[in-house]
Amino acid sequence: MSTVSPSSVAVDGGKDIAKIHHQDEAQKELDAGALFVLKSKALVTFYSYNSISLVLEHHAQSGHRHLRFRDMAHDILGPNWGRYYVGPIQFMVCYGAVVGGVLLGGQCMKAIYLLSHPDGTMKLYEFVIIFGCLILILAQIPSFHSLRHINMIALALCLTYSACATAGSIYVGNSSKGPNKDYSIRGDNESRVFGMFNAIGIIATTFGNGIIPEIQATIAPPVKGKMFKGLCFCYAVLGVTFFSVAISGYWAFGNQSGGLILGNFLDGGKPLVPKWFIFTTNFLVILQQSAIAAVYLQPTNEVLEKTFADPLSKEFSLRNVIPRIISRSLSVIIATFVAAMLPFFGDINSVLGAFGFIPLDFILPVVFFNLTFKPSKSSPIFWLNLSIAVVFSAIGVIAAIAAVRQMGLDAKNYQLFANVDH
């Protein structure tokens, strides 16, 4: 789980009381602005997903049931859009989520290892490989429908470890063990501006979901109303988990908060909270990330099996089982290799958000809605959708530039297969 630090102003720490008071007020205003961005993105994606649901339902009632994002793009925008734009973006988003999940699982394994072996010599990429082996087994689960029980377990794990992360941050923030709180933004003005848009890309991955059509396709008819209730429940969970972890983590660690907030519970190998607490929380994240990776592998698996499977043979015949095992295994092996080679969790999130989640979850849904229902140009909903598409297109372009820039900077500071802490 990544924690995105809200923006803040630099505090020089002078003795002038009036100057400090002025800077504190500016700090509060910018923190409030950062929370506004978080809330705004949550509202926009909720609106976008509900729009997608309405579009899917409308086409299903017309006899054109869409099971995938690219199916929607094919019918609404044209075949080339589905084949060469939306399809590759969805593939990148889902496969990138697998890469990020494998990396996060490896980081949590390393944190557990360092608790019992503070001077241990095992590197991060070794734990990434170990976690990849676990995903290699889960990848063989036959279908998306087969994951419904795993999804329920993942939900319980998400709520539990988010509560643990929040409680741990509050404990450290209130104790003398915690670091000195510094909420200033590091770097020059250029770095701050690009950092802000880089953070926007990361936030997009938090609210992003690249498989909304696939999820709705599993709902038994009639679908009307069910998806909206599901979205309400989903965003209630998201509000409890993401906001509590982000706010408490930033409050406790300031600009030292890492891409993985659990990494801040260890300071130079010294635990700031009880060891059993760190072990339990990281173990819960490992279990949950294994479920997430298994879910986001399904669109990739579907593409591979459509290419290599024989539709005339039975699902569990040797003709289909062997290619499925080989293709799914290679998919996980490649994801694990990429995660071990580029162990920068924040960078992966920002690239996914800028190039994948922003167009897929912020722009395309409102475009699909306007083209499907054709609201009057004098109606508020038409201009609302158009405004969302234009604004987030501009944000996406700048966020993409910021993401590429940040990866370039990190490439100078770290080597391939770097042994980063978090």
Side-chain angles (χ1 to χ4, degrees):
M1 166 189 347
S2 63
T3 301
V4 181
S5 300
S7 300
S8 53
V9 297
V11 179
D12 295 328
K15 296 182 179 181
D16 189 334
I17 297 177
K19 181 179 179 181
I20 293 176
H21 175 74
H22 172 73
Q23 290 173 330
D24 286 343
E25 289 301 315
Q27 172 71 48
K28 293 177 182 178
E29 290 177 5
L30 288 173
D31 286 349
L35 288 176
F36 173 77
V37 171
L38 295 178
K39 294 175 183 177
S40 298
K41 283 208 167 186
L43 290 174
V44 170
T45 50
F46 181 90
Y47 173 76
S48 297
Y49 295 149
N50 189 55
S51 298
I52 287 181
S53 178
L54 295 175
V55 172
L56 288 168
E57 187 176 348
H58 173 81
H59 285 281
Q61 292 174 352
S62 303
H64 300 280
R65 188 165 180 249
H66 297 143
L67 304 180
R68 306 167 188 85
F69 254 113
R70 63 178 179 272
D71 296 338
M72 299 178 68
H74 182 281
D75 283 356
I76 299 173
L77 299 177
N80 289 336
W81 281 91
R83 183 181 299 114
Y84 300 114
Y85 181 67
V86 176
I89 283 181
Q90 186 188 28
F91 182 88
M92 181 194 73
V93 162
C94 294
Y95 198 66
V98 176
V99 173
V102 172
L103 174 57
L104 183 54
Q107 288 177 329
C108 291
M109 283 186 169
K110 181 186 175 184
I112 293 175
Y113 169 75
L114 291 176
L115 281 177
S116 54
H117 300 83
D119 299 323
T121 58
M122 289 186 69
K123 308 298 182 183
L124 174 60
Y125 67 85
E126 297 177 79
F127 295 102
V128 170
I129 294 172
I130 294 172
F131 187 79
C133 292
L134 171 62
I135 303 303
L136 192 64
I137 298 172
L138 293 177
Q140 309 308 323
I141 293 176
S143 65
F144 192 86
H145 184 67
S146 306
L147 297 169
R148 61 192 185 281
H149 301 303
I150 293 180
N151 284 336
M152 288 300 298
I153 296 173
L155 171 62
L157 292 171
C158 180
L159 289 169
T160 305
Y161 78 65
S162 295
C164 291
T166 302
S169 296
I170 294 174
Y171 173 81
V172 173
N174 283 323
S175 68
S176 57
K177 300 179 182 179
N180 295 326
K181 296 183 178 65
D182 182 4
Y183 302 105
S184 62
I185 302 177
R186 299 170 181 173
D188 53 22
N189 290 333
E190 179 184 347
S191 298
R192 295 178 184 182
V193 172
F194 277 110
M196 178 183 67
F197 281 99
N198 196 53
I200 289 175
I202 295 174
I203 295 171
T205 66
T206 302
F207 299 112
N209 186 314
I211 51 177
I212 285 290
E214 286 84 349
I215 292 173
Q216 183 155 329
T218 64
I219 299 177
V223 177
K224 187 175 183 179
K226 294 181 181 178
M227 197 67 178
F228 181 77
K229 293 178 182 178
L231 285 172
C232 290
F233 178 75
C234 173
Y235 273 78
V237 173
L238 186 146
V240 170
T241 54
F242 176 70
F243 280 88
S244 61
V245 174
I247 295 172
S248 62
Y250 179 66
W251 169 76
F253 302 104
N255 59 20
Q256 298 181 41
S257 57
L260 175 60
I261 195 65
L262 302 183
N264 288 100
F265 293 164
L266 285 173
D267 184 14
K270 180 181 178 182
L272 301 179
V273 295
K275 286 187 176 181
W276 65 264
F277 185 87
I278 299 177
F279 177 87
T280 302
T281 307
N282 279 278
F283 184 70
L284 291 173
V285 176
I286 290 171
L287 294 178
Q288 200 261 355
Q289 284 302 311
S290 63
I292 292 295
V295 169
Y296 275 96
L297 270 172
Q298 294 307 309
T300 305
N301 295 339
E302 188 268 337
V303 171
L304 293 173
E305 286 164 26
K306 186 177 180 180
T307 303
F308 299 109
D310 180 8
L312 300 178
S313 301
K314 294 183 179 180
E315 180 182 1
F316 296 105
S317 65
L318 287 178
R319 170 62 183 82
N320 286 330
V321 169
I322 292 177
R324 182 172 66 198
I325 292 175
I326 294 175
S327 61
R328 292 187 177 195
S329 299
L330 284 175
S331 175
V332 174
I333 290 171
I334 293 172
T336 302
F337 179 78
V338 173
M341 183 174 63
L342 302 171
F344 312 120
F345 186 68
D347 289 355
I348 292 175
N349 276 342
S350 62
V351 169
L352 285 178
F355 288 96
F357 282 114
I358 288 180
L360 200 66
D361 294 328
F362 291 81
I363 302 171
L364 286 174
V366 294
V367 173
F368 288 161
F369 186 94
N370 275 6
L371 293 177
T372 297
F373 294 103
K374 295 179 174 59
S376 170
K377 292 185 179 180
S378 61
S379 65
I381 193 169
F382 173 85
W383 289 106
L384 173 62
N385 289 345
L386 183 62
S387 299
I388 290 174
V390 171
V391 169
F392 280 95
S393 294
I395 290 175
V397 170
I398 302 174
I401 295 172
V404 172
R405 175 183 178 273
Q406 188 60 47
M407 288 199 73
L409 293 175
D410 286 340
K412 296 178 181 178
N413 298 328
Y414 298 107
Q415 298 178 346
L416 297 179
F417 301 98
N419 187 35
V420 298
D421 292 329
H422 53 76

